[in-house]
Amino acid sequence: MNIRPFLIAVLASTSLASQFAMAHSGAHNDDEKAMPKTCEQLADTKRYISDVAYPEVRKLKEQCDAAAKKKPAATPAQAPRQSSGG
């Protein structure tokens, strides 16, 4: 029994099946998403690409992180001044 034609058929079918699996829209999520332009858009991962493999996204993320560091997260409330009427 010659197994060679069987192996070739299996190899050909798996290579074709892999092409069809990648052709449907579920495999490529980034194709449907827009490129973010602001920090708010970058935070919205459902509508915008958040993958830092894109140079534009990486640069925007670095800018947003730097801006977040400059702003204090919460301003501490100052205690009311008491007069020293001593």
Side-chain angles (χ1 to χ4, degrees):
M1 184 182 271
N2 199 356
I3 197 164
R4 186 184 207 177
F6 176 72
L7 289 177
I8 291 173
V10 168
L11 229 160
S13 64
T14 56
S15 67
L16 286 174
S18 67
Q19 294 297 324
F20 289 122
M22 292 303 289
H24 74 299
S25 64
H28 302 285
N29 251 351
D30 289 347
D31 292 342
E32 300 169 359
K33 295 181 179 182
M35 194 65 65
K37 303 288 183 204
T38 64
C39 295
E40 291 81 19
Q41 291 176 348
L42 182 63
D44 186 5
T45 58
K46 291 187 181 206
R47 293 184 186 174
Y48 297 95
I49 298 171
S50 62
D51 188 5
V52 292
Y54 295 98
E56 301 89 359
V57 176
R58 184 181 323 122
K59 184 178 177 181
L60 180 63
K61 181 168 174 35
E62 289 171 357
Q63 291 173 352
C64 293
D65 290 344
K69 284 183 181 179
K70 287 182 183 178
K71 271 196 263 181
T75 309
Q78 293 180 351
R81 291 187 175 186
Q82 296 179 356
S83 64
S84 58

